[in-house]
Amino acid sequence: MFRKKKELKDAKPVKTEQRDRKVLFEQEALPHTDAMYAVALRLTGNQKEAEDLVQDAMLRGFKFFERFEQGTNIKAWLLKIMTNIFLNNVKRTAGRPSMVEFETVEDFLGEVEDDLEGVPSGSSEFRELLDQDVARALDELPVEYRTPVLLSAIEGLSYREIAQAMECPVGTVMSRLYRGRKMLERTLRSYARTIGFLKGEGAR
Amino acid sequence: MKCSQARKYLSAFVDNELDVATNIEVLEHVEMCQGCAEQMEAHKRLKDAVASYVSSVKAPAGLRSRISQRLSTAVANGRSAYALWRETLRSPWFRIVASAASILAVFTLAFWQLQTPPAGLNQDTVSAHVAVLRDQVPAFFFTSDAGRATRLALFWANRKPAVPLIGSEDFELVGAGPAEIESRNVGHFALRYRAVTLSMFVFEGLPLNMVGGREVETGRGLGKVEKRGDMSILAWRNGAFTYILVGRISADELIKKLGPVPVGK
């Protein structure tokens, strides 16, 4: 009885403080919902899972808001949390073997990689590709490449932050981005060819 | 630099993520090599295409309020008085005040130390500051603890709260350390300006006429400006030092943003 009373008395200002904390978090975090959702959508490939992922990331961000260094980039921080959650889920469900396979794939790509096909300067072919084509091409990338390609397109996210999100060295981010963008370009070009956007010397 | 080397770096070059020396090498290569320049353009276009896709996506209506609801539930859900008390200690405001106080203490100490001319600093003091700064402000990284460039970098890094590095609050200092360019020791700083990473070098005793480019009025005296690809290089002189700012941003914007000489110079 006494204890309960005391707790209630203590709890009141703390509750208020918790609410302030929520207000502060929402002010900082919610404006980045669109960007987070966009990344989540391409990571998960479907709307329902993307929404869940964003919510989980926001909740975890709120839980660990104290660890966020005020004044630094909260969007990067939240995306880092989200990517972490996602990649750990992928690892959990896929298990170890896929990681080993991936290393082989990476070596293989290293062997066969060729240059981005020369794009005539000033060419507008990519401008004619719709955002949905880009989305489709992104979905075709293996997740290890898709993640850095997506994150690097977000304004203000550094390789260091991407590396932290992916729990890998910065050098790995660099090489995966390089290859990831190449794969993306190949896919986009094949779309462009099929759709017939490419004409003249652009199409070989 | 050969094409095969340069191409490996193009993606990182487009993202402004190469270290200073490599960045310059790639830049010089791309200037001369049409093939690599086109590759660079292609990487850039791909980055832009993905960025354009990302910004075209809008979260479903109601997602924000669902997030907010889940946060409310988290707030309302059972927390022991002890946990709440601990959370108070860990609350953002408490931490801001506490870390501000400790950082301020470090900077005050450092600033007080640095009131004596840089030459009066001994290496132990520098190392001690570097250690403290590493702990307190992870964003400041130091590649080496030796030499005058470190002292310069440290000098500026420590002064950050009192005097913005180059006089505009739009610039954020994200890193500082010594660098070596053409066997000159220089202070190197990574700055961020609206999500663009810029490199700034501080040379001691480098006459402006040894810097290339056309002459320009910078608002803080005569300077030099040069455009290379989509990079701009802006140099100006302040006292015994020559400052060189490099970044993928127009020189005009740089000059406009530089503003007058920082307070206290």
Side-chain angles (χ1 to χ4, degrees), chain A residues 26 42 51 66 116 159, chain B residues 15 39 53 66 68 90:
Chain A
E26 287 185 345
R42 290 281 67 83
E51 282 200 46
E66 287 71 24
L116 295 176
Y159 281 13
Chain B
D15 291 323
Q39 293 286 307
Y53 163 74
R66 280 196 289 283
S68 186
R90 292 175 175 191

Side-chain angles (χ1 to χ4, degrees), chain B residues 64-90:
Chain B
R64 281 179 181 76
S65 59
R66 280 196 289 283
I67 293 168
S68 186
Q69 266 164 24
R70 280 187 70 178
L71 296 181
S72 295
T73 317
V75 169
N77 271 352
R79 281 190 161 83
S80 69
Y82 174 67
L84 287 170
W85 176 76
R86 272 178 40 150
E87 267 178 29
T88 310
L89 279 188
R90 292 175 175 191

Side-chain angles (χ1 to χ4, degrees), chain A residues 14 17-18 22 26 34 37 42 51 55-56 59 66 113 115-116 119 131 156 158-159 178 181 185, chain B residues 7-8 11-12 15 17 39 45-46 52-53 56 59-60 66 68 70 72 84 87 90-91 95:
Chain A
V14 182
E17 191 246 329
Q18 279 296 307
K22 180 182 172 245
E26 287 185 345
D34 283 343
Y37 178 74
R42 290 281 67 83
E51 282 200 46
Q55 289 192 32
D56 290 348
L59 210 66
E66 287 71 24
E113 77 186 14
D115 293 330
L116 295 176
V119 180
D131 285 332
S158 69
Y159 281 13
Y178 170 73
R181 286 197 181 134
E185 147 129 279
Chain B
R7 295 204 173 183
K8 293 237 177 278
S11 215
D15 291 323
E17 286 276 357
Q39 293 286 307
R45 261 201 298 280
L46 283 162
S52 138
Y53 163 74
S56 77
R66 280 196 289 283
S68 186
R70 280 187 70 178
S72 295
L84 287 170
E87 267 178 29
R90 292 175 175 191
S91 83
R95 286 175 68 102

